[in-house]
Amino acid sequence: MAGKIRQMIDAIINQRAKDNPMLERVIKTKLILKGINPNRYTLQSDDDPTVIGKLEKMMQDLR
Amino acid sequence: MHIRTACSSMDTVDAAVADIVKQMDLFEAEMVLFFASTKYVPDSVSKKMQDAFPMAQVFGCSTAGEIASGAMLNDSIVAMAWDGQAMKDAKIEVVGNLRDENSVRAAFSSFESYFKVSMAEMDPGEYVGIILVDGLSGVEEGLMETIGDLTNVTFIGGSAGDDLKFAATHLYAHGKSHSGSAVLALLKPGIGFTFIKTQSFRDLGKNLEVTKADEEKREVLEFNNMPAAAAYAELLGVPPEEAPKHFMHNPIGLVIDDEPYVRSPQQISGEAMRFYCGVKEGMELSILESTDIIGDTREALEQAREELGSISGIVNFNCILRTLELKQKNLAGEYGKLFAPYQTVGFSTYGEQYIGHINQTATMLVFG
């Protein structure tokens, strides 16, 4: 399977930034500091379970 | 004036606190933030500062040097007070078990009950957090990650110091002293605020990808599939044994949108490199070169002043490595003078927090 990480990153940014460009930059920075660089993932990227686990936690935490 | 500052280098806690109270001149403080040298006994300084401002919420930490309006100090206490107009409300929590993210959740739950709004929904333009954390705990990255996952509110701050003794640092809140802890203060200012994150480095364009790391120990075992120390030295064009001489001048940075998030090397351990800050496998880092702290800080202050219209107070969390570099270059006095026009307090930290945990940076909370 591929592309799940890109989809999750986009969902997190949408969920949290709510179209605020400043918050979008902050959230991307938080992801990079976690070791997840959004620029590295496309809809063709492999589904790495470790990265998916980190992203799932982020999605849950802000619910 | 809705923000006031004071500082004292008196020898005893009693004399220094009395001196600060006198300088505050019956100011009706809603909140007091103070930073104190370890020359002052931790339990005593925390209690006496709280007793001196019984109507205020008082918190702070120990330092590796203090910053006041116009001066970099040592062996002192510096304090900033906000009245009810500048600080509409604030809630302070102590986080005890730094390795357990439920401790942060408990503090956040308390904030939510107090402010009647969930941390996830809290407006980052209305609220701001200050974090002060044990500078010898080595867990700041995890703490900042947890905070960042739970809220969009910015938490900015510094890791407490202990005058370069590296024995124990202290956090102060509600008249008590704590170690191995963090103090989280959630503020609802009545005035505008912004942030400064300034570090004086340029990207040398020499890249190091972390290919093997022991993240728990903040250690990189391999860069670019080579032993870490050898890879760092090779890119600098120096023998590995000379690499530590370059640590202060050439740290490593995670460069995001042309903005470095500095990771300072601490030591070479075998063939690995240990850092003052977390590094993760897969991170693409760059070697940096130090530039002009004075010029960059002046520019950052000017930008903040333009953004806010005027500056009524600055809380400066300045890395101890920057302080040491300034002292080495005989520029500490000049750095202090940059803050002379503003009500300023700050301290030399063992690490800085802004979005994440960083090194060799000054993070500042600036009030308009």
Side-chain angles (χ1 to χ4, degrees), chain B residues 3 5 31 33-35 59 67 80 82 130 132 156-158 187 194 196 311-318 339 343-347 362-367:
Chain B
I3 295 178
T5 55
M31 188 182 91
L33 172 61
F34 73 99
F35 304 120
F59 68 110
I67 300 169
M80 177 173 276
W82 290 258
I130 291 179
L132 304 172
I156 188 165
L187 319 181
T194 190
I196 291 175
I311 292 176
S312 63
I314 298 174
V315 184
N316 182 356
F317 306 98
N318 186 53
F339 297 90
Q343 299 279 338
T344 301
V345 288
F347 73 100
T363 58
M364 301 183 215
L365 176 56
V366 185
F367 293 91

PDB file of all heavy atoms in Angstrom, chain B residues 3 5 31 33-35 59 67 80 82 130 132 156-158 187 194 196 311-318 339 343-347 362-367:
ATOM      1  N   ILE B   3       3.692  46.851  32.938  1.00  0.00           N
ATOM      2  CA  ILE B   3       4.702  45.832  33.213  1.00  0.00           C
ATOM      3  C   ILE B   3       5.863  46.537  33.900  1.00  0.00           C
ATOM      4  O   ILE B   3       6.271  47.623  33.486  1.00  0.00           O
ATOM      5  CB  ILE B   3       5.191  45.158  31.903  1.00  0.00           C
ATOM      6  CG1 ILE B   3       4.048  44.384  31.241  1.00  0.00           C
ATOM      7  CG2 ILE B   3       6.380  44.238  32.172  1.00  0.00           C
ATOM      8  CD1 ILE B   3       4.420  43.730  29.923  1.00  0.00           C
ATOM      9  N   THR B   5       9.829  45.882  35.918  1.00  0.00           N
ATOM     10  CA  THR B   5      10.922  44.935  36.186  1.00  0.00           C
ATOM     11  C   THR B   5      11.774  45.435  37.339  1.00  0.00           C
ATOM     12  O   THR B   5      11.776  46.636  37.659  1.00  0.00           O
ATOM     13  CB  THR B   5      11.828  44.745  34.950  1.00  0.00           C
ATOM     14  OG1 THR B   5      12.290  46.024  34.522  1.00  0.00           O
ATOM     15  CG2 THR B   5      11.112  44.043  33.825  1.00  0.00           C
ATOM     16  N   MET B  31       0.808  38.926  38.225  1.00  0.00           N
ATOM     17  CA  MET B  31       1.711  37.779  38.011  1.00  0.00           C
ATOM     18  C   MET B  31       3.151  38.266  38.087  1.00  0.00           C
ATOM     19  O   MET B  31       3.459  39.356  37.607  1.00  0.00           O
ATOM     20  CB  MET B  31       1.427  37.172  36.633  1.00  0.00           C
ATOM     21  CG  MET B  31       2.161  35.878  36.367  1.00  0.00           C
ATOM     22  SD  MET B  31       1.810  35.255  34.700  1.00  0.00           S
ATOM     23  CE  MET B  31       3.126  36.015  33.778  1.00  0.00           C
ATOM     24  N   LEU B  33       7.154  36.885  37.374  1.00  0.00           N
ATOM     25  CA  LEU B  33       8.069  35.866  36.854  1.00  0.00           C
ATOM     26  C   LEU B  33       9.475  36.275  37.268  1.00  0.00           C
ATOM     27  O   LEU B  33       9.868  37.434  37.076  1.00  0.00           O
ATOM     28  CB  LEU B  33       7.956  35.828  35.322  1.00  0.00           C
ATOM     29  CG  LEU B  33       8.957  34.972  34.546  1.00  0.00           C
ATOM     30  CD1 LEU B  33       8.853  33.500  34.939  1.00  0.00           C
ATOM     31  CD2 LEU B  33       8.713  35.112  33.039  1.00  0.00           C
ATOM     32  N   PHE B  34      10.222  35.341  37.871  1.00  0.00           N
ATOM     33  CA  PHE B  34      11.576  35.720  38.291  1.00  0.00           C
ATOM     34  C   PHE B  34      12.575  34.631  37.949  1.00  0.00           C
ATOM     35  O   PHE B  34      12.236  33.447  37.826  1.00  0.00           O
ATOM     36  CB  PHE B  34      11.616  36.041  39.797  1.00  0.00           C
ATOM     37  CG  PHE B  34      11.508  34.840  40.704  1.00  0.00           C
ATOM     38  CD1 PHE B  34      12.636  34.275  41.261  1.00  0.00           C
ATOM     39  CD2 PHE B  34      10.269  34.285  41.001  1.00  0.00           C
ATOM     40  CE1 PHE B  34      12.553  33.169  42.103  1.00  0.00           C
ATOM     41  CE2 PHE B  34      10.170  33.175  41.834  1.00  0.00           C
ATOM     42  CZ  PHE B  34      11.306  32.616  42.392  1.00  0.00           C
ATOM     43  N   PHE B  35      13.805  35.074  37.759  1.00  0.00           N
ATOM     44  CA  PHE B  35      14.911  34.160  37.474  1.00  0.00           C
ATOM     45  C   PHE B  35      16.023  34.466  38.467  1.00  0.00           C
ATOM     46  O   PHE B  35      16.394  35.633  38.660  1.00  0.00           O
ATOM     47  CB  PHE B  35      15.404  34.351  36.038  1.00  0.00           C
ATOM     48  CG  PHE B  35      14.310  34.189  35.011  1.00  0.00           C
ATOM     49  CD1 PHE B  35      13.976  35.228  34.152  1.00  0.00           C
ATOM     50  CD2 PHE B  35      13.597  32.999  34.910  1.00  0.00           C
ATOM     51  CE1 PHE B  35      12.961  35.080  33.213  1.00  0.00           C
ATOM     52  CE2 PHE B  35      12.574  32.852  33.985  1.00  0.00           C
ATOM     53  CZ  PHE B  35      12.259  33.898  33.125  1.00  0.00           C
ATOM     54  N   PHE B  59       6.155  32.647  39.776  1.00  0.00           N
ATOM     55  CA  PHE B  59       6.889  31.453  39.326  1.00  0.00           C
ATOM     56  C   PHE B  59       8.219  31.880  38.712  1.00  0.00           C
ATOM     57  O   PHE B  59       8.447  33.057  38.439  1.00  0.00           O
ATOM     58  CB  PHE B  59       6.055  30.626  38.342  1.00  0.00           C
ATOM     59  CG  PHE B  59       5.800  31.266  36.999  1.00  0.00           C
ATOM     60  CD1 PHE B  59       6.402  30.764  35.850  1.00  0.00           C
ATOM     61  CD2 PHE B  59       4.953  32.350  36.871  1.00  0.00           C
ATOM     62  CE1 PHE B  59       6.169  31.337  34.603  1.00  0.00           C
ATOM     63  CE2 PHE B  59       4.711  32.936  35.634  1.00  0.00           C
ATOM     64  CZ  PHE B  59       5.315  32.425  34.492  1.00  0.00           C
ATOM     65  N   ILE B  67      19.373  38.183  32.854  1.00  0.00           N
ATOM     66  CA  ILE B  67      19.316  39.307  31.903  1.00  0.00           C
ATOM     67  C   ILE B  67      18.305  40.321  32.443  1.00  0.00           C
ATOM     68  O   ILE B  67      17.190  39.960  32.822  1.00  0.00           O
ATOM     69  CB  ILE B  67      18.887  38.831  30.501  1.00  0.00           C
ATOM     70  CG1 ILE B  67      19.893  37.808  29.959  1.00  0.00           C
ATOM     71  CG2 ILE B  67      18.780  40.028  29.530  1.00  0.00           C
ATOM     72  CD1 ILE B  67      19.430  37.082  28.711  1.00  0.00           C
ATOM     73  N   MET B  80       9.961  40.222  36.674  1.00  0.00           N
ATOM     74  CA  MET B  80       9.026  41.019  35.887  1.00  0.00           C
ATOM     75  C   MET B  80       7.637  40.837  36.494  1.00  0.00           C
ATOM     76  O   MET B  80       7.252  39.719  36.828  1.00  0.00           O
ATOM     77  CB  MET B  80       9.034  40.573  34.424  1.00  0.00           C
ATOM     78  CG  MET B  80       8.031  41.316  33.551  1.00  0.00           C
ATOM     79  SD  MET B  80       8.210  40.907  31.785  1.00  0.00           S
ATOM     80  CE  MET B  80       9.515  42.029  31.285  1.00  0.00           C
ATOM     81  N   TRP B  82       3.419  41.860  36.016  1.00  0.00           N
ATOM     82  CA  TRP B  82       2.350  42.346  35.142  1.00  0.00           C
ATOM     83  C   TRP B  82       1.166  42.751  36.030  1.00  0.00           C
ATOM     84  O   TRP B  82       0.825  42.001  36.964  1.00  0.00           O
ATOM     85  CB  TRP B  82       1.863  41.222  34.221  1.00  0.00           C
ATOM     86  CG  TRP B  82       2.807  40.772  33.143  1.00  0.00           C
ATOM     87  CD1 TRP B  82       2.744  41.100  31.818  1.00  0.00           C
ATOM     88  CD2 TRP B  82       3.917  39.861  33.263  1.00  0.00           C
ATOM     89  NE1 TRP B  82       3.751  40.446  31.119  1.00  0.00           N
ATOM     90  CE2 TRP B  82       4.478  39.690  31.975  1.00  0.00           C
ATOM     91  CE3 TRP B  82       4.503  39.181  34.339  1.00  0.00           C
ATOM     92  CZ2 TRP B  82       5.575  38.871  31.730  1.00  0.00           C
ATOM     93  CZ3 TRP B  82       5.603  38.367  34.108  1.00  0.00           C
ATOM     94  CH2 TRP B  82       6.133  38.226  32.813  1.00  0.00           C
ATOM     95  N   ILE B 130       4.117  29.740  28.911  1.00  0.00           N
ATOM     96  CA  ILE B 130       5.549  29.777  29.233  1.00  0.00           C
ATOM     97  C   ILE B 130       5.913  28.431  29.821  1.00  0.00           C
ATOM     98  O   ILE B 130       5.189  27.896  30.673  1.00  0.00           O
ATOM     99  CB  ILE B 130       5.876  30.914  30.234  1.00  0.00           C
ATOM    100  CG1 ILE B 130       5.707  32.275  29.552  1.00  0.00           C
ATOM    101  CG2 ILE B 130       7.306  30.777  30.768  1.00  0.00           C
ATOM    102  CD1 ILE B 130       5.993  33.465  30.460  1.00  0.00           C
ATOM    103  N   LEU B 132       9.076  26.416  31.711  1.00  0.00           N
ATOM    104  CA  LEU B 132      10.391  26.409  32.352  1.00  0.00           C
ATOM    105  C   LEU B 132      10.630  24.962  32.767  1.00  0.00           C
ATOM    106  O   LEU B 132       9.762  24.357  33.400  1.00  0.00           O
ATOM    107  CB  LEU B 132      10.405  27.323  33.580  1.00  0.00           C
ATOM    108  CG  LEU B 132       9.993  28.785  33.335  1.00  0.00           C
ATOM    109  CD1 LEU B 132       9.865  29.537  34.656  1.00  0.00           C
ATOM    110  CD2 LEU B 132      10.997  29.483  32.424  1.00  0.00           C
ATOM    111  N   ILE B 156       6.532  28.892  24.976  1.00  0.00           N
ATOM    112  CA  ILE B 156       7.897  29.380  24.749  1.00  0.00           C
ATOM    113  C   ILE B 156       8.604  29.392  26.100  1.00  0.00           C
ATOM    114  O   ILE B 156       7.956  29.603  27.130  1.00  0.00           O
ATOM    115  CB  ILE B 156       7.849  30.787  24.107  1.00  0.00           C
ATOM    116  CG1 ILE B 156       9.242  31.242  23.669  1.00  0.00           C
ATOM    117  CG2 ILE B 156       7.207  31.826  25.021  1.00  0.00           C
ATOM    118  CD1 ILE B 156       9.204  32.450  22.722  1.00  0.00           C
ATOM    119  N   GLY B 157       9.905  29.146  26.106  1.00  0.00           N
ATOM    120  CA  GLY B 157      10.579  29.153  27.393  1.00  0.00           C
ATOM    121  C   GLY B 157      12.014  28.693  27.330  1.00  0.00           C
ATOM    122  O   GLY B 157      12.656  28.751  26.273  1.00  0.00           O
ATOM    123  N   GLY B 158      12.488  28.258  28.489  1.00  0.00           N
ATOM    124  CA  GLY B 158      13.884  27.866  28.590  1.00  0.00           C
ATOM    125  C   GLY B 158      14.087  26.773  29.620  1.00  0.00           C
ATOM    126  O   GLY B 158      13.249  26.552  30.498  1.00  0.00           O
ATOM    127  N   LEU B 187      -1.057  31.762  30.032  1.00  0.00           N
ATOM    128  CA  LEU B 187      -1.347  33.177  30.243  1.00  0.00           C
ATOM    129  C   LEU B 187      -2.434  33.660  29.287  1.00  0.00           C
ATOM    130  O   LEU B 187      -2.488  33.235  28.126  1.00  0.00           O
ATOM    131  CB  LEU B 187      -0.088  34.024  29.997  1.00  0.00           C
ATOM    132  CG  LEU B 187       1.247  33.507  30.516  1.00  0.00           C
ATOM    133  CD1 LEU B 187       2.350  34.500  30.184  1.00  0.00           C
ATOM    134  CD2 LEU B 187       1.201  33.248  32.001  1.00  0.00           C
ATOM    135  N   THR B 194       4.054  38.877  20.801  1.00  0.00           N
ATOM    136  CA  THR B 194       4.625  38.141  19.678  1.00  0.00           C
ATOM    137  C   THR B 194       5.856  37.389  20.171  1.00  0.00           C
ATOM    138  O   THR B 194       6.182  37.432  21.362  1.00  0.00           O
ATOM    139  CB  THR B 194       4.958  39.095  18.503  1.00  0.00           C
ATOM    140  OG1 THR B 194       5.291  38.308  17.347  1.00  0.00           O
ATOM    141  CG2 THR B 194       6.144  39.996  18.819  1.00  0.00           C
ATOM    142  N   ILE B 196      10.015  36.109  19.430  1.00  0.00           N
ATOM    143  CA  ILE B 196      11.273  36.183  18.683  1.00  0.00           C
ATOM    144  C   ILE B 196      11.974  34.851  18.856  1.00  0.00           C
ATOM    145  O   ILE B 196      12.051  34.327  19.974  1.00  0.00           O
ATOM    146  CB  ILE B 196      12.178  37.323  19.219  1.00  0.00           C
ATOM    147  CG1 ILE B 196      11.575  38.692  18.880  1.00  0.00           C
ATOM    148  CG2 ILE B 196      13.586  37.205  18.664  1.00  0.00           C
ATOM    149  CD1 ILE B 196      12.345  39.865  19.487  1.00  0.00           C
ATOM    150  N   ILE B 311       6.959  48.198  22.415  1.00  0.00           N
ATOM    151  CA  ILE B 311       7.256  47.030  23.260  1.00  0.00           C
ATOM    152  C   ILE B 311       7.158  47.446  24.719  1.00  0.00           C
ATOM    153  O   ILE B 311       7.820  48.398  25.141  1.00  0.00           O
ATOM    154  CB  ILE B 311       8.664  46.471  22.948  1.00  0.00           C
ATOM    155  CG1 ILE B 311       8.692  45.858  21.542  1.00  0.00           C
ATOM    156  CG2 ILE B 311       9.096  45.452  24.000  1.00  0.00           C
ATOM    157  CD1 ILE B 311      10.063  45.371  21.093  1.00  0.00           C
ATOM    158  N   SER B 312       6.320  46.733  25.470  1.00  0.00           N
ATOM    159  CA  SER B 312       6.203  47.073  26.899  1.00  0.00           C
ATOM    160  C   SER B 312       6.945  46.076  27.784  1.00  0.00           C
ATOM    161  O   SER B 312       7.161  46.352  28.963  1.00  0.00           O
ATOM    162  CB  SER B 312       4.732  47.137  27.311  1.00  0.00           C
ATOM    163  OG  SER B 312       4.123  45.876  27.151  1.00  0.00           O
ATOM    164  N   GLY B 313       7.353  44.938  27.233  1.00  0.00           N
ATOM    165  CA  GLY B 313       8.102  43.980  28.045  1.00  0.00           C
ATOM    166  C   GLY B 313       8.654  42.840  27.215  1.00  0.00           C
ATOM    167  O   GLY B 313       8.048  42.453  26.213  1.00  0.00           O
ATOM    168  N   ILE B 314       9.807  42.344  27.634  1.00  0.00           N
ATOM    169  CA  ILE B 314      10.437  41.218  26.928  1.00  0.00           C
ATOM    170  C   ILE B 314      10.896  40.194  27.968  1.00  0.00           C
ATOM    171  O   ILE B 314      11.547  40.551  28.955  1.00  0.00           O
ATOM    172  CB  ILE B 314      11.669  41.676  26.123  1.00  0.00           C
ATOM    173  CG1 ILE B 314      11.283  42.683  25.043  1.00  0.00           C
ATOM    174  CG2 ILE B 314      12.382  40.473  25.486  1.00  0.00           C
ATOM    175  CD1 ILE B 314      12.471  43.290  24.304  1.00  0.00           C
ATOM    176  N   VAL B 315      10.562  38.927  27.706  1.00  0.00           N
ATOM    177  CA  VAL B 315      11.131  37.836  28.500  1.00  0.00           C
ATOM    178  C   VAL B 315      12.074  37.078  27.561  1.00  0.00           C
ATOM    179  O   VAL B 315      11.644  36.531  26.547  1.00  0.00           O
ATOM    180  CB  VAL B 315      10.045  36.885  29.032  1.00  0.00           C
ATOM    181  CG1 VAL B 315      10.677  35.828  29.932  1.00  0.00           C
ATOM    182  CG2 VAL B 315       8.972  37.663  29.803  1.00  0.00           C
ATOM    183  N   ASN B 316      13.355  37.068  27.903  1.00  0.00           N
ATOM    184  CA  ASN B 316      14.385  36.559  26.995  1.00  0.00           C
ATOM    185  C   ASN B 316      14.994  35.261  27.543  1.00  0.00           C
ATOM    186  O   ASN B 316      15.581  35.256  28.629  1.00  0.00           O
ATOM    187  CB  ASN B 316      15.476  37.634  26.837  1.00  0.00           C
ATOM    188  CG  ASN B 316      16.583  37.220  25.866  1.00  0.00           C
ATOM    189  OD1 ASN B 316      16.601  36.101  25.357  1.00  0.00           O
ATOM    190  ND2 ASN B 316      17.505  38.126  25.625  1.00  0.00           N
ATOM    191  N   PHE B 317      14.856  34.186  26.776  1.00  0.00           N
ATOM    192  CA  PHE B 317      15.468  32.900  27.131  1.00  0.00           C
ATOM    193  C   PHE B 317      16.672  32.730  26.204  1.00  0.00           C
ATOM    194  O   PHE B 317      16.523  32.344  25.043  1.00  0.00           O
ATOM    195  CB  PHE B 317      14.459  31.763  26.947  1.00  0.00           C
ATOM    196  CG  PHE B 317      13.171  31.978  27.697  1.00  0.00           C
ATOM    197  CD1 PHE B 317      12.054  32.494  27.061  1.00  0.00           C
ATOM    198  CD2 PHE B 317      13.081  31.693  29.051  1.00  0.00           C
ATOM    199  CE1 PHE B 317      10.860  32.711  27.743  1.00  0.00           C
ATOM    200  CE2 PHE B 317      11.896  31.911  29.752  1.00  0.00           C
ATOM    201  CZ  PHE B 317      10.787  32.420  29.095  1.00  0.00           C
ATOM    202  N   ASN B 318      17.839  33.044  26.707  1.00  0.00           N
ATOM    203  CA  ASN B 318      19.045  33.121  25.864  1.00  0.00           C
ATOM    204  C   ASN B 318      19.989  31.974  26.196  1.00  0.00           C
ATOM    205  O   ASN B 318      20.420  31.822  27.344  1.00  0.00           O
ATOM    206  CB  ASN B 318      19.739  34.469  26.126  1.00  0.00           C
ATOM    207  CG  ASN B 318      20.906  34.700  25.187  1.00  0.00           C
ATOM    208  OD1 ASN B 318      20.763  34.606  23.972  1.00  0.00           O
ATOM    209  ND2 ASN B 318      22.069  34.982  25.750  1.00  0.00           N
ATOM    210  N   PHE B 339      18.813  45.730  25.103  1.00  0.00           N
ATOM    211  CA  PHE B 339      17.528  45.633  25.809  1.00  0.00           C
ATOM    212  C   PHE B 339      17.285  46.827  26.733  1.00  0.00           C
ATOM    213  O   PHE B 339      16.279  46.858  27.441  1.00  0.00           O
ATOM    214  CB  PHE B 339      17.479  44.314  26.602  1.00  0.00           C
ATOM    215  CG  PHE B 339      17.545  43.112  25.704  1.00  0.00           C
ATOM    216  CD1 PHE B 339      18.766  42.549  25.352  1.00  0.00           C
ATOM    217  CD2 PHE B 339      16.389  42.577  25.161  1.00  0.00           C
ATOM    218  CE1 PHE B 339      18.844  41.473  24.487  1.00  0.00           C
ATOM    219  CE2 PHE B 339      16.448  41.507  24.296  1.00  0.00           C
ATOM    220  CZ  PHE B 339      17.678  40.945  23.951  1.00  0.00           C
ATOM    221  N   GLN B 343      11.562  47.100  29.111  1.00  0.00           N
ATOM    222  CA  GLN B 343      11.450  46.343  30.364  1.00  0.00           C
ATOM    223  C   GLN B 343      11.774  44.891  30.015  1.00  0.00           C
ATOM    224  O   GLN B 343      11.025  44.253  29.259  1.00  0.00           O
ATOM    225  CB  GLN B 343      10.027  46.429  30.911  1.00  0.00           C
ATOM    226  CG  GLN B 343       9.546  47.827  31.240  1.00  0.00           C
ATOM    227  CD  GLN B 343      10.055  48.298  32.585  1.00  0.00           C
ATOM    228  OE1 GLN B 343      10.418  47.496  33.449  1.00  0.00           O
ATOM    229  NE2 GLN B 343      10.097  49.591  32.767  1.00  0.00           N
ATOM    230  N   THR B 344      12.887  44.384  30.537  1.00  0.00           N
ATOM    231  CA  THR B 344      13.346  43.050  30.115  1.00  0.00           C
ATOM    232  C   THR B 344      13.760  42.219  31.318  1.00  0.00           C
ATOM    233  O   THR B 344      14.397  42.729  32.246  1.00  0.00           O
ATOM    234  CB  THR B 344      14.574  43.187  29.175  1.00  0.00           C
ATOM    235  OG1 THR B 344      14.207  43.969  28.044  1.00  0.00           O
ATOM    236  CG2 THR B 344      15.072  41.824  28.707  1.00  0.00           C
ATOM    237  N   VAL B 345      13.384  40.946  31.293  1.00  0.00           N
ATOM    238  CA  VAL B 345      14.021  39.960  32.163  1.00  0.00           C
ATOM    239  C   VAL B 345      14.348  38.755  31.311  1.00  0.00           C
ATOM    240  O   VAL B 345      13.751  38.533  30.256  1.00  0.00           O
ATOM    241  CB  VAL B 345      13.142  39.474  33.341  1.00  0.00           C
ATOM    242  CG1 VAL B 345      12.974  40.537  34.391  1.00  0.00           C
ATOM    243  CG2 VAL B 345      11.828  38.916  32.858  1.00  0.00           C
ATOM    244  N   GLY B 346      15.309  37.987  31.787  1.00  0.00           N
ATOM    245  CA  GLY B 346      15.652  36.772  31.066  1.00  0.00           C
ATOM    246  C   GLY B 346      16.744  36.031  31.795  1.00  0.00           C
ATOM    247  O   GLY B 346      17.178  36.445  32.882  1.00  0.00           O
ATOM    248  N   PHE B 347      17.164  34.949  31.201  1.00  0.00           N
ATOM    249  CA  PHE B 347      18.277  34.213  31.813  1.00  0.00           C
ATOM    250  C   PHE B 347      19.024  33.416  30.767  1.00  0.00           C
ATOM    251  O   PHE B 347      18.523  33.166  29.666  1.00  0.00           O
ATOM    252  CB  PHE B 347      17.786  33.334  32.969  1.00  0.00           C
ATOM    253  CG  PHE B 347      17.005  32.095  32.580  1.00  0.00           C
ATOM    254  CD1 PHE B 347      17.609  30.840  32.552  1.00  0.00           C
ATOM    255  CD2 PHE B 347      15.653  32.178  32.273  1.00  0.00           C
ATOM    256  CE1 PHE B 347      16.895  29.699  32.234  1.00  0.00           C
ATOM    257  CE2 PHE B 347      14.926  31.037  31.953  1.00  0.00           C
ATOM    258  CZ  PHE B 347      15.536  29.800  31.932  1.00  0.00           C
ATOM    259  N   ALA B 362      18.049  32.359  21.013  1.00  0.00           N
ATOM    260  CA  ALA B 362      17.301  33.129  22.007  1.00  0.00           C
ATOM    261  C   ALA B 362      15.840  33.087  21.603  1.00  0.00           C
ATOM    262  O   ALA B 362      15.498  33.428  20.467  1.00  0.00           O
ATOM    263  CB  ALA B 362      17.779  34.570  22.072  1.00  0.00           C
ATOM    264  N   THR B 363      14.995  32.608  22.512  1.00  0.00           N
ATOM    265  CA  THR B 363      13.551  32.675  22.283  1.00  0.00           C
ATOM    266  C   THR B 363      13.013  33.749  23.226  1.00  0.00           C
ATOM    267  O   THR B 363      13.409  33.809  24.391  1.00  0.00           O
ATOM    268  CB  THR B 363      12.862  31.323  22.563  1.00  0.00           C
ATOM    269  OG1 THR B 363      13.112  30.929  23.914  1.00  0.00           O
ATOM    270  CG2 THR B 363      13.367  30.241  21.630  1.00  0.00           C
ATOM    271  N   MET B 364      12.170  34.601  22.695  1.00  0.00           N
ATOM    272  CA  MET B 364      11.677  35.717  23.521  1.00  0.00           C
ATOM    273  C   MET B 364      10.165  35.858  23.373  1.00  0.00           C
ATOM    274  O   MET B 364       9.629  35.729  22.275  1.00  0.00           O
ATOM    275  CB  MET B 364      12.322  37.034  23.081  1.00  0.00           C
ATOM    276  CG  MET B 364      13.838  37.040  23.172  1.00  0.00           C
ATOM    277  SD  MET B 364      14.522  38.653  22.728  1.00  0.00           S
ATOM    278  CE  MET B 364      16.054  38.129  21.920  1.00  0.00           C
ATOM    279  N   LEU B 365       9.541  36.123  24.495  1.00  0.00           N
ATOM    280  CA  LEU B 365       8.125  36.488  24.508  1.00  0.00           C
ATOM    281  C   LEU B 365       8.080  38.011  24.651  1.00  0.00           C
ATOM    282  O   LEU B 365       8.608  38.555  25.626  1.00  0.00           O
ATOM    283  CB  LEU B 365       7.423  35.786  25.675  1.00  0.00           C
ATOM    284  CG  LEU B 365       5.956  36.123  25.911  1.00  0.00           C
ATOM    285  CD1 LEU B 365       5.108  35.881  24.668  1.00  0.00           C
ATOM    286  CD2 LEU B 365       5.408  35.293  27.074  1.00  0.00           C
ATOM    287  N   VAL B 366       7.500  38.649  23.659  1.00  0.00           N
ATOM    288  CA  VAL B 366       7.529  40.116  23.602  1.00  0.00           C
ATOM    289  C   VAL B 366       6.105  40.651  23.727  1.00  0.00           C
ATOM    290  O   VAL B 366       5.208  40.210  22.997  1.00  0.00           O
ATOM    291  CB  VAL B 366       8.147  40.589  22.264  1.00  0.00           C
ATOM    292  CG1 VAL B 366       8.298  42.103  22.259  1.00  0.00           C
ATOM    293  CG2 VAL B 366       9.491  39.929  22.019  1.00  0.00           C
ATOM    294  N   PHE B 367       5.921  41.590  24.638  1.00  0.00           N
ATOM    295  CA  PHE B 367       4.591  42.189  24.853  1.00  0.00           C
ATOM    296  C   PHE B 367       4.526  43.599  24.263  1.00  0.00           C
ATOM    297  O   PHE B 367       5.477  44.368  24.366  1.00  0.00           O
ATOM    298  CB  PHE B 367       4.281  42.251  26.359  1.00  0.00           C
ATOM    299  CG  PHE B 367       4.108  40.899  26.982  1.00  0.00           C
ATOM    300  CD1 PHE B 367       5.184  40.235  27.545  1.00  0.00           C
ATOM    301  CD2 PHE B 367       2.872  40.274  26.976  1.00  0.00           C
ATOM    302  CE1 PHE B 367       5.038  38.976  28.104  1.00  0.00           C
ATOM    303  CE2 PHE B 367       2.713  39.011  27.538  1.00  0.00           C
ATOM    304  CZ  PHE B 367       3.796  38.364  28.100  1.00  0.00           C
TER     305      PHE B 367
END
